[in-house]
Amino acid sequence: MKKEVKKVVLAYSGGLDTSVILKWLQDEYNCEVVTFTADIGQGEEVEPARAKALSLGIKPENIFIEDLREEFVKDYVFPMFRANAIYEGEYLLGTSIARPLIAKRQVEIAHLTGADGVSHGATGKGNDQVRFEMGYLGKDSTLTIIAPWREWDLNSREKLLAYAETHGIKIEKKGKKSPYSMDANLLHISYEGGILEDPNAEPEDSMWLWTTKPEDAPDTPEYIEIGYKNGDPVSLNGEELSPATMLATLNKLAGKHGIGRVDIVENRFVGMKSRGCYETPGGTIMLKAHRAIESITLDREEAHLKDELMPKYAKLIYNGFWFAPEREMLQAAIDKTQENVEGSVRLKLYKGNITVVGRSSESSLFNPEYCTFEEDAVYDQKDAAGFIKLNALRFIIEGKARKK
Amino acid sequence: MKKEVKKVVLAYSGGLDTSVILKWLQDEYNCEVVTFTADIGQGEEVEPARAKALSLGIKPENIFIEDLREEFVKDYVFPMFRANAIYEGEYLLGTSIARPLIAKRQVEIAHLTGADGVSHGATGKGNDQVRFEMGYLGKDSTLTIIAPWREWDLNSREKLLAYAETHGIKIEKKGKKSPYSMDANLLHISYEGGILEDPNAEPEDSMWLWTTKPEDAPDTPEYIEIGYKNGDPVSLNGEELSPATMLATLNKLAGKHGIGRVDIVENRFVGMKSRGCYETPGGTIMLKAHRAIESITLDREEAHLKDELMPKYAKLIYNGFWFAPEREMLQAAIDKTQENVEGSVRLKLYKGNITVVGRSSESSLFNPEYCTFEEDAVYDQKDAAGFIKLNALRFIIEGKARKK
Amino acid sequence: MKKEVKKVVLAYSGGLDTSVILKWLQDEYNCEVVTFTADIGQGEEVEPARAKALSLGIKPENIFIEDLREEFVKDYVFPMFRANAIYEGEYLLGTSIARPLIAKRQVEIAHLTGADGVSHGATGKGNDQVRFEMGYLGKDSTLTIIAPWREWDLNSREKLLAYAETHGIKIEKKGKKSPYSMDANLLHISYEGGILEDPNAEPEDSMWLWTTKPEDAPDTPEYIEIGYKNGDPVSLNGEELSPATMLATLNKLAGKHGIGRVDIVENRFVGMKSRGCYETPGGTIMLKAHRAIESITLDREEAHLKDELMPKYAKLIYNGFWFAPEREMLQAAIDKTQENVEGSVRLKLYKGNITVVGRSSESSLFNPEYCTFEEDAVYDQKDAAGFIKLNALRFIIEGKARKK
Amino acid sequence: MKKEVKKVVLAYSGGLDTSVILKWLQDEYNCEVVTFTADIGQGEEVEPARAKALSLGIKPENIFIEDLREEFVKDYVFPMFRANAIYEGEYLLGTSIARPLIAKRQVEIAHLTGADGVSHGATGKGNDQVRFEMGYLGKDSTLTIIAPWREWDLNSREKLLAYAETHGIKIEKKGKKSPYSMDANLLHISYEGGILEDPNAEPEDSMWLWTTKPEDAPDTPEYIEIGYKNGDPVSLNGEELSPATMLATLNKLAGKHGIGRVDIVENRFVGMKSRGCYETPGGTIMLKAHRAIESITLDREEAHLKDELMPKYAKLIYNGFWFAPEREMLQAAIDKTQENVEGSVRLKLYKGNITVVGRSSESSLFNPEYCTFEEDAVYDQKDAAGFIKLNALRFIIEGKARKK
């Protein structure tokens, strides 16, 4: 009954779970395993994964370790932020946006190595299995997909540890195991499980790893200035930064000031509600700053149409449809609006707060003289009467017709 | 050329501007003036408007002073918050939502007093003229509308003061005149003009009237708990509160903790961009808390559809279409979803931050057992494979058909 | 491995397929079978299903035969037509709208009879399995669902006939078996399969059962008049008709004049494209007439918002989400708009064409004097200048700011 | 009070109305007039406008007569049909789509000739004034706009004729004057006024000029085949045709078979409802054919998103916002989907009916083997169970949580 597969590209972190999967694939499928470990800014060294993989019998030429940070931010994070994407009013899609890149690269490595299968370590109740597999199926549906968490019976930490022990997988003992299930990349770190399973319980201070508790953040605000071009942040305090460096630097700044924590109950694509906590420090700044630079450079109706389309766009990313044609269709619309989204935004960071304190642009559409109650070059106040009258005409007619 | 009008109901604050209008109406239109002064929580006494009106020759029976705070919050603010309405990602629509109520009441008073005209003090470049007049025209289009700011030539503060002096209107000298144009009601206070005309300038600390500067807010967080029923907040820390009391109390709490400041450049309905600063302390809490209670009680697709419709709904309110059938149509959809939005949300207030730290509900759809990677009563992990496969089927078919 | 089930309510037509399912359920699941046969206007007698069921060993008290025609039209078809629902620009959702009613009634009968399972005869690649089962799961998810077509290996007509023969199921020989897979109810009849599998092939004339070929339809047009109330058709040529009688009568009229044929390639919810031909004679008239009565009674923005929401609404029905809260949410919005949708529409039927030749209503918002270029009571042509100017203001400002 | 203007570019048809305007501009504004007459397929000779203009004192170098038919169809009509645009479910936007091109060209001619004003002959209650002036203001807001119908008092045909007589404007007597107000271009001809002002009155047969009455159309159907590339029709019955020739040819074919008549009450942008009849023969075929070719080549969700965005897109064109950034934003999304919309559609034309009888494409995503109930290469029927189960999971959970 088991699918036949000769060579499988595994998304491999080097940690316990994917090491067990590696071994399990070798044993259960009797197949060659290719490991793929990507640095997408998760904040852990990726090189140790090489020794780990070698120790589990992976051939050197089957070990792929790559730094994808710039590609991740430039081609995935930035386009998403052009849309001001937020899922369910709160979540900045930190995990969702990273999976398609990993999946795409796995398929490419499968083609390079002649593999006929791909595998990942996402569980059977979560969104990530969908995001990985939508990526695989969208790129090459002939590859066999192996999702061990849906197949095996190692459905508890104890069984996993037992399996590791039995099969000679070394378990690092780096202090106490976190009670949370976590995922990190340059955009965010997420927490699930543990006491979070009670939506009425506040997370412990110790859970948050990337941001200072607002109470402990500096008592003095810090001002920063972000430069924008074509809707993307390109400079910080006057210095040009590459996409990944930009995000890494903003993460540090925001983290220091306690910015970017989110604690929500969200709706998974597979149907249930789940509690998640997220730290997206740099991303939280980027969202605020992007809206600010758009506020002076974007046409009103472009801005409103973006706002109307955003929930659908965010949902597509959340659900794993990054490579879907409808996401690309929306991206085409969004990108079309960003041509003049350029200039500079000044922000104040203080104990969890981001305040926009200034925006300026060569392409600004703001002009104070049009707003005051005095006369100006473009606006005749008499026009307002006709404008209102015709906007209300359908009410006037209805009032007359129905004598209400 | 001037319209003929015999009796005009004026939205009268008792301040300089509307006092000048009152006089100007009497002189220019040679008409009787009915003053209408509403307490919608702007934080100023309304009774003094009576003496002021009398002193300007208004007959006692033509002076209407009413406390509309409960109606305002119950029938306007709360329905709007059911929709999680935000305009352009930032603005909680504090001014927009108050105008229709005033306009509606002016029309009713016109009918009571046999007046044939209505008048307001909104300027000719702003949104408020539209909101007032859409209200008038929607309720009774036979009334003559007089918008003095679009008619007269008193287009500067100096001319206004001169007019007041010439016509014997007493000018209160309550200290220095604010450099900002302000509007307040129970939901918010707004600031425009002055140095805000430079979008690159940070407002002075002294501008903000309702909220403590985060830096000066208490160093100790405060926890509160809001009870919800049918999507509306009904109790605070266990105590049932009327709508207006709820909002007033939340304003005080949030104000103390520096919560609810917004500083934006927004797009006016009449076509230009304008800079506005807003304090919406209680409303900011209400938005956060409402999303939190919805997060455990609302069905996913209801929630998403609400998010997709919200920008249009917010725009309707911003543009003055509160009484329009399309707003009522959207409201019917929104209200339909709120039947089970009930329960309790705990929040932490601290120096500008609102953090949701707990939510619970008898109607909760959250169940932790469905989220973990273990087995449960409703979810078979094998189902995920079929779910993903059929969601991706169109990509699989396209891949085969187009050999990409 | 097989699910345990003691008593199953089967959606039973009395035809070959569901008779084989009946027998197969008895044999494979060793369970009692309750048959449910509904008259939803499919145009075949339902009583013969009783004898058929009895002959297959079903107890008399386990045989349910019901006439659901009025409920079907009143509570399912009419609400859907209030929305002007069309799927993918062409399909009037004839099959989609009938499934939820059957599913709901099956669950009710399960409760009445103490059954613990439900079953249907929809195949494993189609939309109907989804529509049935979404209904079951939405109404009572504890019932075991048996979908024989996904379980057994009788995946061809030959195997089915062999099974029938082996198990003593009488096969009616009413002439040649149709080469098409068909489904019918009061709203429509559908055709799939056979030569339709080639999207480049025109269906044979003989396929169409309900409508005259336009070429053979009467050479003389026929005029009819439909009366509307609250958005629903209530009278025909002055005579009040019940919902089901209305639809049946319109079917006859339209069928006679060759109206209501559709031939499309559509996108199934389960992921592939399929070719379908449909006859919806009365429904085609109802759509045209409803839009016509709305054209004079609905506010513009209500109408436009309905048009924007319609594709989502139609998709929900197509995909089987009739009982979903988001469908009910949209229905609340739609129904809110229909209060004044009343009056009368005259139509001309001729060889496949429906032409609206008149509409009138006590609630009409149309008034010819507002449209001409002459003066009228509500419209001052001077207003148009201000209206245009402020609508264009953002372009004017952009032109000045960016010197384009 | 009158605006100062030295040279005005007038959209000039050569007919009575615009000839009166021409003269009136000379007299009232004492300005030089530049006439611009475009052939956009209205079906009348444009050269006679030259003699007419000369006779009214226009300098030869101030007379512009241009054939814009190819530009009109290629850059305006075709992009619009890629969107399947229909306004209010019925109207194919024939007039709306032509105005922006005329307006744009007028502004260009103003720049060429150093003119400082533009003028048009649209009335003060209609949509066309908006469409013209939005175009002018979007392209160059410094030009003075003169809309004679909103300024003068020649608000009846009698006064117009009297003015013409007084000022020596020759009135062609080509038989009886039509009782309808008409507008024509290569896409359509429209009728307003006359007996159409009664929405309950059927238009006389004699009104329709471009299409045969269905009753009088040929008794034999005609089959045609249209080839598509990138979403645009490029060939007819195997012969490649230029855009304008394509549309002209389809007009002739459809007209012959009585196809393309529409009779509606529509909602004008300026606020009232108006009755309009339209003939869009070729466009009606193009809409049907485009949907058919999309049905086999477009991804499902692309198609659905297009359908959801379409009403907004159509409204933008109807309201005169062709050059607005939000229309361009939507166009970017639409055009992105048309890359593979290619292949061939066969249609049957008969007495008012268009029936799609075949579609084929190298890029087809349709494959009959995926639809049948048999096994195939991409679809495992077992997957459907998981697909349905997880799609219904939120109902299952709600059922359990709320015991409904």
Side-chain angles (χ1 to χ4, degrees), chain C residues 14 52 55 86 114 131 183 187 198 205 243 308 348 363 375:
Chain C
K52 201 77 190 282
S55 81
I86 319 178
R131 295 165 187 152
D183 175 70
L187 182 55
D198 174 5
D205 286 346
E308 287 189 38
K348 174 183 166 188
S363 292
E375 274 184 61

Side-chain angles (χ1 to χ4, degrees), chain D residues 173-323:
Chain D
K173 294 262 158 54
K174 9 175 188 174
K176 223 183 69 193
K177 163 75 190 151
S178 163
Y180 305 103
S181 165
M182 292 185 284
D183 176 68
N185 60 50
L186 205 40
L187 181 56
H188 95 335
I189 181 165
S190 67
Y191 311 88
E192 294 187 333
I195 66 155
L196 299 181
E197 291 185 4
D198 175 4
N200 211 14
E202 185 176 1
E204 308 134 309
D205 287 347
S206 62
M207 179 189 78
W208 306 99
L209 299 182
W210 283 16
T211 56
T212 308
K213 187 180 182 178
E215 287 90 325
D216 301 334
D219 290 325
T220 316
E222 179 166 4
Y223 285 79
I224 63 170
E225 178 156 12
I226 304 181
Y228 272 88
K229 198 142 194 193
N230 293 322
D232 296 332
V234 294
S235 69
L236 184 65
N237 297 329
E239 188 185 357
E240 289 199 16
L241 297 179
S242 76
T245 315
M246 171 65 74
L247 185 46
T249 314
L250 291 176
N251 277 339
K252 223 173 294 170
L253 279 165
K256 170 180 157 197
H257 288 285
I259 288 164
R261 294 181 173 188
V262 163
D263 176 346
I264 54 170
V265 174
E266 75 198 52
N267 291 289
R268 287 190 187 162
F269 185 31
V270 290
M272 73 290 281
K273 291 180 182 292
S274 83
R275 167 84 171 281
C277 289
Y278 303 98
E279 289 172 288
T280 325
T284 304
I285 291 181
M286 276 165 52
L287 176 64
K288 192 87 175 175
H290 186 256
R291 275 210 173 267
I293 192 66
E294 283 194 337
S295 77
I296 55 168
T297 56
L298 218 58
D299 171 79
R300 179 184 73 202
E301 296 302 315
E302 280 183 313
H304 293 186
L305 188 45
K306 284 189 69 202
D307 280 350
E308 286 189 38
L309 295 175
M310 186 277 282
K312 184 181 291 287
Y313 177 90
K315 183 175 189 166
L316 286 172
I317 295 178
Y318 186 85
N319 288 356
F321 290 74
W322 177 261
F323 295 119

Side-chain angles (χ1 to χ4, degrees), chain D residues 74-234:
Chain D
K74 182 168 163 292
D75 295 341
Y76 294 76
V77 174
F78 277 6
M80 182 172 81
F81 273 79
R82 280 175 221 144
N84 302 322
I86 319 179
Y87 183 68
E88 299 187 342
E90 302 274 5
Y91 172 42
L92 293 183
L93 297 162
T95 302
S96 326
I97 191 63
R99 301 311 192 192
L101 170 58
I102 306 293
K104 184 200 76 160
R105 197 61 199 131
Q106 273 183 278
V107 171
E108 288 167 355
I109 291 171
H111 293 170
L112 281 174
T113 58
D116 56 348
V118 280
S119 183
H120 63 76
T123 63
K125 284 184 179 176
N127 294 304
D128 286 326
Q129 58 179 339
V130 189
R131 295 165 187 155
F132 275 120
E133 298 178 29
M134 295 298 269
Y136 303 153
L137 291 165
K139 293 292 168 194
D140 181 354
S141 69
T142 65
L143 296 170
T144 297
I145 296 172
I146 303 174
W149 282 98
R150 296 201 304 260
E151 294 189 21
W152 67 26
D153 56 356
L154 306 178
N155 55 359
S156 72
R157 185 130 299 267
E158 293 65 40
K159 292 191 193 166
L160 217 61
L161 288 167
Y163 187 97
E165 193 137 353
T166 314
H167 292 77
I169 299 166
K170 250 215 295 260
I171 301 149
E172 340 271 305
K173 294 262 158 54
K174 9 175 188 174
K176 223 183 69 193
K177 163 75 190 151
S178 163
Y180 305 103
S181 165
M182 292 185 284
D183 176 68
N185 60 50
L186 205 40
L187 181 56
H188 95 335
I189 181 165
S190 67
Y191 311 88
E192 294 187 333
I195 66 155
L196 299 181
E197 291 185 4
D198 175 4
N200 211 14
E202 185 176 1
E204 308 134 309
D205 287 347
S206 62
M207 179 189 78
W208 306 99
L209 299 182
W210 283 16
T211 56
T212 308
K213 187 180 182 178
E215 287 90 325
D216 301 334
D219 290 325
T220 316
E222 179 166 4
Y223 285 79
I224 63 170
E225 178 156 12
I226 304 181
Y228 272 88
K229 198 142 194 193
N230 293 322
D232 296 332
V234 294

